[in-house]
Every structure is written in structure tokens, then in C-alpha cells.
Amino acid sequence: MKVFIEEQKFNQPLVIIIHSIAFIAIGITTSNNWPVNSTASFSEKIGALSGLIFVALVAILFLFMKLKTRVDEIGIHYQFYPFHFSYKLIFWSSISKCYIRNYNAISEYNGWGMKFSKKVKSFTTKGNIGLQLELTNGKKILIGTQKKEEIQRAIDTYKNKIVTNEY
């Protein structure tokens, strides 16, 4: 039994730099205005700190976000934590096509992360390589990967379980 497991995070230097710059810029602005806000009421102080609180919460969210993928004899499991508390499972019998492909996150999905439309879902954290699933119900799911060769070997192991509707 071959099992593929991958865990990805939003830990690119650019993401860290952008969060740091935003936190520093809002922190400087807040501290420059603090003499005025220090005599204000509690709710006004919270309002003055709201930008800093928001940037900190977004940074914490990015710190904890991760995409976990597992390929085994049952199917393809994925979890985009903290939005999914457990793995979502796609059984091999619900997949009509499964292949690795290059994608453009910006032009195809308007960026990385969790993206949804009526028939297309994508779960990516970085890069431009993904596992494309075409389901028997006509929907498509793209799951990003940084381990192209390893996931391809796992897919090759179980490709006989994929339902094909070719006549």
C-alpha cells in the first residue's frame, strides 16, 4: 500500500515581509496618534488599535493555515486548516480524470488559497503545480503540490481505480 502525504504552509518570505511591513506601518501610525487616543474612552482606544489588531489576526491566520494532502488506496484526502477541521475525501470511484498540471494562480484562480466557483475548486498555498481532479459529476478540483514526482508515483499506483467513461 503506497501512501502519499504532503503538508504545505504559507511560509514564503514575501508573505512574511508583507505582514511585517503592514504591522510596522500600522504600529507606527497608531503610536504617533496615541497621545490623542490615550485620554479617550475604552471603546475609542479599541477603535484606534483595531488596525493593529486586524493585521495581527490575519498574520496569525496565515501562521496556522496549512494544506494537507493524502493519497491512498481509498482516494484523495485534503484538508485546508483551519477552514476544514478534518480531511475531505474524494473516493477513486468519483474521479474520472486525475493528472498533474501547471497552473497560473493569478489568472486562473485570482491567487492562491481556497477558491470556489460553481464547478471549480482550488486549494493552493504556493507555486504553480497541482493535482487536477475531474470528477464524475463534472466538477473540477485542483490541489496544489510541491512534490510533483512523489504524488505522480502515488497516482500511478492507484490509477486503475479511476472510473473512466470512455467508450
Side-chain angles (χ1 to χ4, degrees), residues 28-138:
I28 290 171
T29 304
T30 302
S31 67
N32 287 343
N33 294 327
W34 195 249
V36 173
N37 294 324
S38 64
T39 58
S41 69
F42 179 74
S43 62
E44 289 171 329
K45 287 179 185 177
I46 295 297
L49 293 171
S50 64
L52 206 53
I53 293 168
F54 178 76
V55 170
L57 290 174
V58 169
I60 290 168
L61 176 66
F62 271 81
L63 181 67
F64 285 103
M65 265 196 298
K66 59 185 156 187
L67 173 60
K68 293 161 67 172
T69 309
R70 176 184 168 101
V71 179
D72 61 24
E73 75 279 354
I74 299 170
I76 298 170
H77 313 254
Y78 66 93
Q79 178 185 21
F80 204 94
Y81 183 82
F83 304 105
H84 300 144
F85 290 115
S86 61
Y87 278 98
K88 305 292 182 188
L89 171 60
I90 304 166
F91 290 101
W92 290 113
S93 60
S94 343
I95 300 171
S96 60
K97 286 186 184 176
C98 177
Y99 53 93
I100 307 298
R101 76 172 184 94
N102 287 344
Y103 66 92
N104 185 317
I106 304 296
S107 66
E108 291 182 59
Y109 301 104
N110 297 318
W112 294 267
M114 274 191 346
K115 306 295 179 170
F116 298 92
S117 69
K118 200 169 197 169
K119 293 228 174 211
V120 178
K121 293 180 185 178
S122 76
F123 303 93
T124 59
T125 60
K126 55 187 161 189
N128 65 348
I129 299 170
L131 173 62
Q132 182 69 62
L133 306 175
E134 295 181 19
L135 307 182
T136 55
N137 64 7

